[in-house]
Amino acid sequence: MAQLIKLENYISRYQKDPFHYPGQFIRLKQENWRKLVQTWEQQLQIETEIDEQDEPAENLSKWKQFFHRREQVESEMDEESIIEDLPATKDDLKQYFLNMLLPFQLKWASTTIQEMSFLDRSYYDDLTLKYFLQRFPDTFLLLYRPVFQFKNAAMDGDIILITPIGINIIRLIEIDSTKRLIAGDDRTWYSEENNVRSRLLSPMLSLKRTEKIIRSILSVNDLEIPIEKVVLSRTNSIDFNTEPYLTTFIGKEQHEQWLSEKRNFISPLKHNQLKIAEALLQFSDTISVRRPEWKQDDSEKDFNL
């Protein structure tokens, strides 16, 4: 599960300590996954024993209630904080766990101990955000459409993944699946259906703008890392003659292989990776207010499931 270190112009606790939170997230995630699996296995065992004994259904309900209790970790999450029936299979349990982690990631990406940003609730249902968070490794650090404050001007950035070995700047293009995309120049692309073409603004415009911002920040901080621009479409084919320099086009035919390569990438967090994350976060625009009532947070409590 990729880590959401910056969400647009919201305050992020990763900004306060980019060297601490990435490692802490991985550790807490692993601990809570083990706890959830243990609870799930105990529940299956109890249900099996009750089925074998053919006990009344009300007794089974009592056992479920016992194993479904958990601590309330968000004051604003009442019913959401109660575990309902756990899934029947291990694969479904994994997806259940990833969904459970989303609110905690959004909290970390919109609050610190003393400050908060007013989070748009639509992010809880943002399927694109879920895709990038849930389908990439823990050591990938995600800046989701960040806003950079650069030379007294706010500049929107594309989706950025900081991996242990490089930066991917990603522009997502998804239109009607019956159409195909045709790569043009730096200003104009096309969509085509039934031999009818329509103009689109080239994704290379924003990708190059984001790349320029990142390279400027890295240069100021004397940092280096490979940067790749990616045009990604999970729903459409992309027709092109040649890919621009340091750019990859990933259409629907290439998507699964590209994603599989990312998911199977194994590497610990790297110091240079965290230095780069720190530099980009320092130049990120942030809008926040002081929390009206705050107390010393125990970040580990955020992960008690």
Side-chain angles (χ1 to χ4, degrees), residues 2-3 132 136 140-143 158-163 166-170 258 262:
Q3 299 189 50
F132 282 103
F136 291 84
F140 283 32
L141 308 179
L142 175 67
L143 289 85
D158 285 306
I159 296 168
I160 300 169
L161 278 175
I162 309 174
T163 79
I167 291 178
N168 289 164
I169 308 171
I170 302 172
W258 176 80
K262 298 295 184 185

Side-chain angles (χ1 to χ4, degrees), residues 73-84:
V73 294
E74 301 278 1
S75 59
E76 67 273 16
M77 294 171 62
D78 295 323
E79 294 84 0
E80 295 177 5
S81 69
I82 304 301
I83 292 183
E84 300 297 336

Side-chain angles (χ1 to χ4, degrees), residues 33 36-37 40 44 85-100 134:
W33 170 244
L36 184 62
V37 170
W40 177 72
L44 290 181
D85 287 345
L86 293 178
T89 69
K90 191 75 168 284
D91 286 341
D92 289 341
L93 187 70
K94 291 177 181 178
Q95 185 59 53
Y96 173 88
F97 181 65
L98 294 178
N99 292 338
M100 291 290 294
Q134 296 185 352

Side-chain angles (χ1 to χ4, degrees), residues 245-287:
Y245 182 60
L246 297 177
T247 303
T248 303
F249 297 153
I250 305 296
K252 65 179 182 180
E253 295 87 358
Q254 300 81 32
H255 170 247
E256 286 302 323
Q257 180 180 349
W258 176 80
L259 180 61
S260 178
E261 290 173 356
K262 298 295 184 185
R263 289 171 61 86
N264 293 327
F265 177 79
I266 300 175
S267 171
L269 292 165
K270 298 292 183 67
H271 182 72
N272 188 55
Q273 176 190 13
L274 299 179
K275 290 283 292 182
I276 287 168
E278 178 186 42
L280 296 185
L281 290 172
Q282 285 177 346
F283 280 87
S284 296
D285 187 41
T286 298
I287 298 177

Side-chain angles (χ1 to χ4, degrees), residues 3-10 123 126-130 132-133 141-147 157-161 172:
Q3 299 189 50
L4 182 59
I5 67 171
K6 186 65 177 179
L7 177 63
E8 293 196 10
N9 57 359
Y10 293 97
Y123 285 115
D126 188 324
L127 296 180
T128 301
L129 177 59
K130 287 183 179 181
F132 282 103
L133 289 180
L141 308 179
L142 175 67
L143 289 85
Y144 191 69
R145 296 168 180 159
V147 180
D158 285 306
I159 296 168
I160 300 169
L161 278 175
L172 190 67

Side-chain angles (χ1 to χ4, degrees), residues 285-302:
D285 187 41
T286 298
I287 298 177
S288 64
V289 298
R290 188 173 179 84
R291 293 170 71 166
E293 295 180 3
W294 63 274
K295 58 184 178 180
Q296 187 71 24
D297 258 353
D298 179 0
S299 296
E300 299 199 9
K301 289 182 180 179
D302 291 348

Side-chain angles (χ1 to χ4, degrees), residues 214-223:
I214 292 174
R215 292 194 182 278
S216 297
I217 294 172
L218 297 185
S219 177
V220 167
N221 289 273
D222 196 25
L223 295 168

Side-chain angles (χ1 to χ4, degrees), residues 98-298:
L98 294 178
N99 292 338
M100 291 290 294
L101 281 182
L102 181 63
F104 305 113
Q105 286 197 293
L106 288 173
K107 180 180 179 181
W108 277 28
S110 60
T111 65
T112 65
I113 294 174
Q114 299 184 23
E115 298 175 83
M116 62 175 289
S117 299
F118 295 101
L119 181 66
D120 189 331
R121 300 288 297 183
S122 66
Y123 285 115
Y124 288 95
D125 301 311
D126 188 324
L127 296 180
T128 301
L129 177 59
K130 287 183 179 181
Y131 166 81
F132 282 103
L133 289 180
Q134 296 185 352
R135 305 199 68 183
F136 291 84
D138 296 344
T139 55
F140 283 32
L141 308 179
L142 175 67
L143 289 85
Y144 191 69
R145 296 168 180 159
V147 180
F148 292 102
Q149 191 67 35
F150 201 68
K151 295 183 179 179
N152 298 320
M155 303 181 69
D156 295 337
D158 285 306
I159 296 168
I160 300 169
L161 278 175
I162 309 174
T163 79
I165 61 172
I167 291 178
N168 289 164
I169 308 171
I170 302 172
R171 184 70 174 184
L172 190 67
I173 303 182
E174 294 183 336
I175 57 177
D176 192 315
S177 60
T178 60
K179 300 179 180 180
R180 63 190 180 100
L181 295 166
I182 301 174
D185 54 28
D186 284 351
R187 289 202 160 271
T188 305
W189 276 34
Y190 303 90
S191 66
E192 183 175 279
E193 182 179 21
N194 298 325
N195 295 320
V196 177
R197 287 192 177 187
S198 302
R199 289 176 178 268
L200 297 173
L201 189 65
S202 171
M204 298 306 301
L205 280 171
S206 62
L207 285 173
K208 287 188 173 183
R209 181 176 64 247
T210 302
E211 179 188 30
K212 184 177 181 180
I213 293 171
I214 292 174
R215 292 194 182 278
S216 297
I217 294 172
L218 297 185
S219 177
V220 167
N221 289 273
D222 196 25
L223 295 168
E224 292 185 1
I225 195 170
I227 299 175
E228 180 186 26
K229 299 181 291 294
V230 178
V231 179
L232 174 64
S233 180
R234 299 168 297 177
T235 57
N236 307 94
S237 300
I238 303 178
D239 292 351
F240 60 92
N241 292 322
T242 58
E243 295 169 323
Y245 182 60
L246 297 177
T247 303
T248 303
F249 297 153
I250 305 296
K252 65 179 182 180
E253 295 87 358
Q254 300 81 32
H255 170 247
E256 286 302 323
Q257 180 180 349
W258 176 80
L259 180 61
S260 178
E261 290 173 356
K262 298 295 184 185
R263 289 171 61 86
N264 293 327
F265 177 79
I266 300 175
S267 171
L269 292 165
K270 298 292 183 67
H271 182 72
N272 188 55
Q273 176 190 13
L274 299 179
K275 290 283 292 182
I276 287 168
E278 178 186 42
L280 296 185
L281 290 172
Q282 285 177 346
F283 280 87
S284 296
D285 187 41
T286 298
I287 298 177
S288 64
V289 298
R290 188 173 179 84
R291 293 170 71 166
E293 295 180 3
W294 63 274
K295 58 184 178 180
Q296 187 71 24
D297 258 353
D298 179 0

